[in-house]
Amino acid sequence: MTVCAIEPPSTDGTDGVPAAGCAITADGAYAARLARDGDSWFPERWTLDGPEPYAVPLPGNQPEEPGTEVQPMGDGRVLIHRLVAGRHAFSLLYPTGPGTGELPLGAVECAEPGARLTLLPPAPGGVRAYALAVGARSSAVWLVAGGAFGPERCAEVPGRCSGGVWLDGSGRMLALDRELDGRTKTVVVDLERAGEVSPLLQIAEGSDDRLLLADPDSGLLLISSDAPSPGRARLGWGVLGSTLPVRFPECLRVPECLVTPFAIQPGQVLMPENCAVGLRIDGSFDTWVGVWRPADREVRHLPAPEGWLAGSGLCTRDGVLRLPYATEATPCGLSDVTAPGWGATTTGAGDLTTAGAGDVARAGDLAGAGGVAAEGDVAAAGTEDARRSGRDGGPGTPERVGPAGAEPGPAVPAVARPVPLQQAPLGRLVTN
C-alpha cells in the first residue's frame, strides 16, 4: 500500500519558502510547536494572550517523530498529525493534570503514489483545521478537525497545490497556489460551495504567481511573481478590490537573501498602504527581521531576538511585531520589535523587549482583487474597488460571493468574490 509522505522539519517550506518555527492561531491567542528534549521530540502549547506567555508541554506515551505536525486550536487544544501504520492519524491533545489527554479524530489514507499530506495554516475562528493532500494530478482539501464524523474531504482541485492563505474571517475562502500545465497561479476554493474553485492571481499568462500572505481587514496582499522579471521571482503587493496596480518595490529585493513575509498589521480598514508587514530575511550566515510598509520606500532591518522561532510572529494593531522565542534561560518568551516612529510603544530603532500577550484583531470581510504585473516598481490597474462603489449595500460593503441573482443562505457570512488579476483593466496605469 502506498501512502502520503510525511516530511521531516527543514529550513525550507513548500516552494522554497522557509518553514516557520511554530504555528499561531489566527487570533494570536495560542501557539504550538514540536519542542526538543535531547533527542526526543514532544508537542508544546504556548499561551500568548495572558499577562505573560507560558508553555505547557504535551508529551505522549512515547517521543514523537521529527516530521510530526502540530497546530493550536482556538480552545487551547493542540491538533497533532502523525503517520501511523501507513495512515495519517489526527488527534487533539490537552493537558490533564500531570499527563496529556488525547482525543483521536480519525485518519486519512492516500493511495496515490507520490502523494503527500500536510496541515494548512490555522483557520480563522480556531474551531476547524484543514489539511492538503497533493497527488500527481490533483489536490484534495480535508477537514481534519471540527467535523461531525472525523476527517471529511471538502474539495478536489485539479493540479498540484501548495501554500494556503485564508482570505476572510470566517474560514470560508481558501487561496491555494496551483501548478497546472507547467505554470503556477493562485486559485480560491470556496469551502461553503462544495469546494468551488475560481482563479484569483493571474498576473501574466506565462508567469508563476503565488499568494504569500493576506489581510482581510485592509485587503493587503503579499505576492511572489516572476512577471516583472521573467525567470526570477519578485516580492510584490496588491490590494483586493483596489484600482491601484500590483507593485514590486525595489526595496524588497535584498541581494543574496530570501525575503518572506509572515505578519501583517490588522485593523487598517481601507488603509492597506499603512499596514506594517513583518519580513523574515534569510542570508548566507544569519536570519533577521525586516519591517516595511507599502507607503514606505525602504525596509527597516532589525535584529531578531535570540532563539527566535524564525518565521513566526504576529503584529498588533499598533504595528508592533511580537516574536516568539525560546532560549535556555527563557524557554517561552515574546519580544516586541518596533521601528523608529512606529507603534505607540516605540522607544528606539530595533528595540527588543520581552512582552506578554498577542493583540491581533479577528479578520473581517474582504473585497475583490485586481492588477496586472509590469516591469519595475508598478503594475497595471485592477478592478473597481467594491468598497467604494456602494454596490450591494453602499460604501464599505463588499460584494457577495455567488452567481448573479443567487439568494445567499441566512447562515452564510458576507464574503466578496475574488476577481482574477488578469482581468483587470489597463486604463489606470500608475508609475509612482
Side-chain angles (χ1 to χ4, degrees), residues 312-359:
S312 57
L314 51 89
C315 192
T316 71
R317 286 176 171 264
D318 293 328
V320 179
L321 287 178
R322 317 206 79 183
L323 307 180
Y325 70 95
T327 64
E328 185 174 350
T330 306
C332 176
L334 277 176
S335 283
D336 282 5
V337 176
T338 61
W342 287 26
T345 59
T346 298
T347 57
D351 288 341
L352 300 177
T353 55
T354 301
D359 182 24

Side-chain angles (χ1 to χ4, degrees), residues 262 279-282 286-291 300-312 321-327 334-338 349-353:
F262 65 87
L279 305 171
R280 169 180 176 170
I281 305 176
D282 291 277
D286 200 4
T287 297
W288 64 95
V289 179
V291 184
R300 320 288 180 93
H301 296 267
L302 309 173
E306 180 184 359
W308 178 35
L309 304 181
S312 57
L321 287 178
R322 317 206 79 183
L323 307 180
Y325 70 95
T327 64
L334 277 176
S335 283
D336 282 5
V337 176
T338 61
D351 288 341
L352 300 177
T353 55

